[in-house]
Amino acid sequence: LVRKRAAYERAGLPHYWLVDPVVPSLTVLERVGGRLVEVLAVKDDEVVELARPFPVSLSPASVARP
C-alpha cells in the first residue's frame, strides 16, 4: 500500500484502485497536484458509479467474489 502507491505517483499514474477481497472494499485514488489522493471509499454491497478512468457501476462485494 505504501511502496506501490509511491511508485505509481512517481510514474504519473492518473488512477489507482485498491480492492480488498476480505472486507470487501474499494478505495479509489486519483492524481491531484502530482499526488494520488483518496477520492472515494465504499464497502460491501454499496454500489458506486464511476466515470473515470472509464464508466462503470459496481459494488466491492461483486468485484471481490471468487
Side-chain angles (χ1 to χ4, degrees), residues 4-5 7 10 12-14 18 20 22 24 27-30 37-38 40 42 45 48 51 55-56 62:
K4 188 180 279 189
R5 182 176 178 171
R10 286 191 304 274
L13 196 75
L18 300 164
D20 183 343
V22 175
T27 304
V28 176
L29 297 99
E30 291 185 357
V37 297
E38 183 177 318
L40 177 73
V42 292
D45 290 324
V48 62
V56 65
S62 69

Side-chain angles (χ1 to χ4, degrees), residues 19-44:
V19 178
D20 183 343
V22 175
V23 172
S25 65
L26 168 68
T27 304
V28 176
L29 297 99
E30 291 185 357
R31 180 166 293 283
V32 176
R35 302 214 35 166
L36 286 170
V37 297
E38 183 177 318
V39 295
L40 177 73
V42 292
K43 294 193 313 188
D44 301 318

